[in-house]
Amino acid sequence: MQEQEVKIPSHIAIILDGNGRWAKKRNMPRNYGHTQGSKTVEKICEDAYKIGVKYLTVYAFSTENWKRPKDEVDAIMKLLRSYLQTSKKTAKKNNMRVRILGDKTGLSEDIQKSIDELEEVSRENTGLNLQVAINYGGRDEIIRAVKALSLDIKKNTIAIDNIDEKAMENYMDTKGIPDPDLLIRTSGEKRLSNFLLWQLAYTEFYFTDVLWPDFDKKELMKAIEYYNSRVRRFGAIS
Ligand code: IPE
Ligand code: IPE
Ligand code: MG
């Protein structure tokens, strides 16, 4: 396939999975896999932007992930803290706008503050739009949206008759962000694990056995080739 023929999806969503298994294969603690996985996120952001992706959404921590052993949750939160700090610099350097999806109120106060700062300093950036889902669950997002919508109905700011898909989108964490064109899940698992239940309604799904820390630009291009094979078929006569 020639490079110029390739249609680059505007929005790619990724369920980054397999950090633990990657570390286990190397007889290392699971947290080592998370550290490597976070480096992969940084690299993929650059690769994705260079090839023309406009929106990238990554699933970093789900509402269900709190059930993991405390030391693993603590290590992931520590990693998130440092990721949010360094992202302030990389966002500036790469002209990247970062937004966090998920229930921020469930995160510790210093992390919430760091998120607010990062979102604020990168707000005007016009390069890659990066969404990081933290304490995110698709069902939780819909419930929070329904609650916010109900409050507006109570305040008479919206009438029940005016509730449609577009109105609903205003209450989602992804307000203003187009739906993903392509979803990638690494590590061989073929489930959504509560990711973007509303937004993935028409998205193409790509699954690979590659474990997240091993995911690179070559693997990203394979996913995009798959996407191209699907969009060509979609709407075709045959
Ligand atoms: C994905 O890797 C990262 C998070 C969910 C935080 P995992 O930690 O799920 O790795 P596996 O699936 O156990 O290998
Ligand atoms: C999904 O991965 C959540 C994230 C990638 C953050 P998990 O590894 O937590 O999902 P399950 O438990 O296999 O469904
Ligand atoms: Mg997993």
Side-chain angles (χ1 to χ4, degrees), residues 16-22 30 34 59-62 65 68 72 76 187 189 211-212:
L16 45 98
D17 200 7
N19 289 350
R21 277 164 282 171
W22 183 90
R30 291 178 57 83
H34 296 314
Y59 202 6
F61 193 84
S62 73
N65 286 150
R68 293 190 179 196
E72 183 171 346
I76 294 173
S187 88
E189 310 301 340
L211 303 174
W212 177 249

Short mmCIF file of all heavy atoms in Angstrom, two decimals, residues 16-22 30 34 59-62 65 68 72 76 187 189 211-212, ligand 1:
data_model
loop_
_atom_site.label_atom_id
_atom_site.label_comp_id
_atom_site.label_asym_id
_atom_site.label_seq_id
_atom_site.Cartn_x
_atom_site.Cartn_y
_atom_site.Cartn_z
N LEU A 16 -5.04 0.42 26.05
CA LEU A 16 -3.66 -0.06 26.19
C LEU A 16 -3.66 -1.15 27.24
O LEU A 16 -3.94 -0.93 28.41
CB LEU A 16 -2.71 1.08 26.53
CG LEU A 16 -3.07 2.11 27.59
CD1 LEU A 16 -2.42 1.77 28.91
CD2 LEU A 16 -2.62 3.49 27.13
N ASP A 17 -3.38 -2.38 26.78
CA ASP A 17 -3.49 -3.51 27.69
C ASP A 17 -2.27 -4.42 27.54
O ASP A 17 -1.67 -4.49 26.47
CB ASP A 17 -4.78 -4.28 27.36
CG ASP A 17 -5.25 -5.15 28.52
OD1 ASP A 17 -4.65 -5.06 29.61
OD2 ASP A 17 -6.20 -5.93 28.32
N GLY A 18 -1.94 -5.11 28.64
CA GLY A 18 -0.86 -6.08 28.59
C GLY A 18 0.43 -5.64 29.28
O GLY A 18 1.44 -6.33 29.19
N ASN A 19 0.37 -4.54 30.01
CA ASN A 19 1.57 -4.08 30.74
C ASN A 19 2.06 -5.13 31.73
O ASN A 19 3.25 -5.40 31.84
CB ASN A 19 1.27 -2.80 31.53
CG ASN A 19 1.07 -1.59 30.64
OD1 ASN A 19 1.33 -1.65 29.45
ND2 ASN A 19 0.62 -0.50 31.22
N GLY A 20 1.10 -5.71 32.47
CA GLY A 20 1.45 -6.69 33.51
C GLY A 20 2.09 -7.92 32.90
O GLY A 20 3.13 -8.41 33.37
N ARG A 21 1.46 -8.44 31.83
CA ARG A 21 1.99 -9.65 31.18
C ARG A 21 3.35 -9.40 30.56
O ARG A 21 4.23 -10.26 30.57
CB ARG A 21 0.99 -10.15 30.11
CG ARG A 21 -0.13 -10.99 30.71
CD ARG A 21 -1.28 -11.14 29.75
NE ARG A 21 -2.10 -9.93 29.74
CZ ARG A 21 -3.09 -9.71 28.87
NH1 ARG A 21 -3.35 -10.61 27.94
NH2 ARG A 21 -3.80 -8.60 28.95
N TRP A 22 3.54 -8.20 30.03
CA TRP A 22 4.84 -7.83 29.43
C TRP A 22 5.93 -7.91 30.49
O TRP A 22 7.02 -8.44 30.26
CB TRP A 22 4.73 -6.42 28.86
CG TRP A 22 5.94 -5.91 28.16
CD1 TRP A 22 6.24 -6.05 26.83
CD2 TRP A 22 7.04 -5.19 28.74
NE1 TRP A 22 7.45 -5.45 26.55
CE2 TRP A 22 7.96 -4.91 27.70
CE3 TRP A 22 7.33 -4.74 30.04
CZ2 TRP A 22 9.14 -4.20 27.91
CZ3 TRP A 22 8.51 -4.04 30.25
CH2 TRP A 22 9.40 -3.78 29.19
N ARG A 30 4.92 -6.13 37.96
CA ARG A 30 3.92 -5.55 37.05
C ARG A 30 4.13 -4.05 36.86
O ARG A 30 3.92 -3.52 35.78
CB ARG A 30 2.50 -5.78 37.62
CG ARG A 30 2.05 -7.22 37.61
CD ARG A 30 0.65 -7.34 38.23
NE ARG A 30 -0.33 -6.51 37.54
CZ ARG A 30 -0.97 -6.86 36.44
NH1 ARG A 30 -0.75 -8.05 35.90
NH2 ARG A 30 -1.83 -6.05 35.88
N HIS A 34 4.00 -1.03 33.75
CA HIS A 34 3.26 0.25 33.68
C HIS A 34 4.21 1.41 33.34
O HIS A 34 3.86 2.31 32.58
CB HIS A 34 2.54 0.53 35.00
CG HIS A 34 1.46 -0.48 35.31
ND1 HIS A 34 0.55 -0.89 34.37
CD2 HIS A 34 1.16 -1.16 36.45
CE1 HIS A 34 -0.27 -1.78 34.92
NE2 HIS A 34 0.09 -1.97 36.17
N TYR A 59 -6.88 4.83 27.22
CA TYR A 59 -7.53 4.36 28.45
C TYR A 59 -6.41 4.02 29.45
O TYR A 59 -5.71 3.03 29.28
CB TYR A 59 -8.34 3.11 28.11
CG TYR A 59 -9.47 2.74 29.03
CD1 TYR A 59 -9.88 3.54 30.09
CD2 TYR A 59 -10.18 1.55 28.80
CE1 TYR A 59 -10.95 3.17 30.89
CE2 TYR A 59 -11.25 1.18 29.60
CZ TYR A 59 -11.63 1.98 30.65
OH TYR A 59 -12.68 1.62 31.44
N ALA A 60 -6.24 4.85 30.44
CA ALA A 60 -5.12 4.65 31.36
C ALA A 60 -5.53 3.97 32.67
O ALA A 60 -4.76 3.20 33.24
CB ALA A 60 -4.47 5.99 31.69
N PHE A 61 -6.75 4.27 33.14
CA PHE A 61 -7.17 3.69 34.43
C PHE A 61 -8.70 3.68 34.48
O PHE A 61 -9.34 4.72 34.34
CB PHE A 61 -6.60 4.52 35.59
CG PHE A 61 -6.72 3.85 36.93
CD1 PHE A 61 -5.76 2.94 37.35
CD2 PHE A 61 -7.78 4.13 37.78
CE1 PHE A 61 -5.86 2.31 38.59
CE2 PHE A 61 -7.90 3.51 39.01
CZ PHE A 61 -6.93 2.60 39.42
N SER A 62 -9.27 2.48 34.67
CA SER A 62 -10.73 2.38 34.64
C SER A 62 -11.33 2.46 36.04
O SER A 62 -10.63 2.31 37.04
CB SER A 62 -11.12 1.04 33.99
OG SER A 62 -10.87 -0.03 34.88
N ASN A 65 -10.45 -0.53 37.86
CA ASN A 65 -9.05 -0.79 38.22
C ASN A 65 -8.72 -0.51 39.69
O ASN A 65 -7.68 -0.93 40.20
CB ASN A 65 -8.09 0.00 37.31
CG ASN A 65 -7.98 -0.57 35.91
OD1 ASN A 65 -7.74 0.15 34.94
ND2 ASN A 65 -8.16 -1.87 35.76
N ARG A 68 -7.74 -3.47 41.96
CA ARG A 68 -6.43 -4.12 41.93
C ARG A 68 -5.73 -3.96 43.29
O ARG A 68 -6.11 -3.10 44.08
CB ARG A 68 -5.57 -3.50 40.83
CG ARG A 68 -6.13 -3.82 39.46
CD ARG A 68 -5.17 -3.44 38.37
NE ARG A 68 -5.73 -3.78 37.08
CZ ARG A 68 -5.04 -3.85 35.95
NH1 ARG A 68 -3.74 -3.59 35.97
NH2 ARG A 68 -5.62 -4.17 34.81
N GLU A 72 -0.33 -1.85 43.63
CA GLU A 72 -0.35 -1.59 42.18
C GLU A 72 -1.10 -0.27 41.89
O GLU A 72 -0.62 0.55 41.09
CB GLU A 72 -1.00 -2.74 41.42
CG GLU A 72 -0.95 -2.50 39.90
CD GLU A 72 -1.37 -3.68 39.04
OE1 GLU A 72 -1.47 -4.82 39.57
OE2 GLU A 72 -1.60 -3.47 37.84
N ILE A 76 0.46 3.02 40.10
CA ILE A 76 -0.11 3.64 38.88
C ILE A 76 -0.41 5.13 39.15
O ILE A 76 -0.14 5.98 38.30
CB ILE A 76 -1.39 2.89 38.42
CG1 ILE A 76 -1.03 1.47 37.95
CG2 ILE A 76 -2.10 3.65 37.29
CD1 ILE A 76 -2.21 0.57 37.61
N SER A 187 -2.84 -6.72 23.39
CA SER A 187 -2.69 -7.87 24.29
C SER A 187 -3.67 -9.02 24.05
O SER A 187 -3.75 -9.93 24.86
CB SER A 187 -2.73 -7.45 25.76
OG SER A 187 -4.06 -7.43 26.26
N GLU A 189 -6.92 -9.29 24.13
CA GLU A 189 -8.27 -9.28 24.72
C GLU A 189 -9.23 -8.63 23.73
O GLU A 189 -8.89 -7.64 23.09
CB GLU A 189 -8.30 -8.51 26.04
CG GLU A 189 -7.23 -8.89 27.05
CD GLU A 189 -7.29 -10.35 27.47
OE1 GLU A 189 -8.34 -11.00 27.29
OE2 GLU A 189 -6.26 -10.85 27.95
N LEU A 211 1.72 -6.77 23.15
CA LEU A 211 1.49 -6.20 24.48
C LEU A 211 1.83 -4.71 24.44
O LEU A 211 2.76 -4.30 23.72
CB LEU A 211 2.37 -6.94 25.51
CG LEU A 211 2.14 -8.46 25.57
CD1 LEU A 211 3.16 -9.13 26.51
CD2 LEU A 211 0.72 -8.81 26.01
N TRP A 212 1.09 -3.91 25.20
CA TRP A 212 1.20 -2.46 25.04
C TRP A 212 2.63 -1.90 25.05
O TRP A 212 3.00 -1.11 24.19
CB TRP A 212 0.30 -1.71 26.03
CG TRP A 212 0.48 -0.23 25.90
CD1 TRP A 212 1.06 0.61 26.80
CD2 TRP A 212 0.13 0.58 24.75
NE1 TRP A 212 1.09 1.90 26.30
CE2 TRP A 212 0.53 1.90 25.04
CE3 TRP A 212 -0.47 0.31 23.51
CZ2 TRP A 212 0.35 2.95 24.15
CZ3 TRP A 212 -0.65 1.35 22.62
CH2 TRP A 212 -0.25 2.65 22.94
C1 IPE B 1 -2.99 -2.17 31.13
O1 IPE B 1 -2.18 -3.24 31.45
C2 IPE B 1 -2.81 -0.99 32.04
C3 IPE B 1 -3.89 -0.78 33.02
C4 IPE B 1 -5.05 -1.37 33.03
C5 IPE B 1 -3.65 0.21 34.07
P1 IPE B 1 -2.61 -4.33 32.52
O2 IPE B 1 -2.14 -3.91 33.86
O3 IPE B 1 -4.07 -4.60 32.42
O4 IPE B 1 -1.80 -5.59 32.04
P2 IPE B 1 -2.28 -7.10 32.00
O5 IPE B 1 -3.57 -7.14 31.24
O6 IPE B 1 -2.45 -7.54 33.42
O7 IPE B 1 -1.18 -7.84 31.30
#
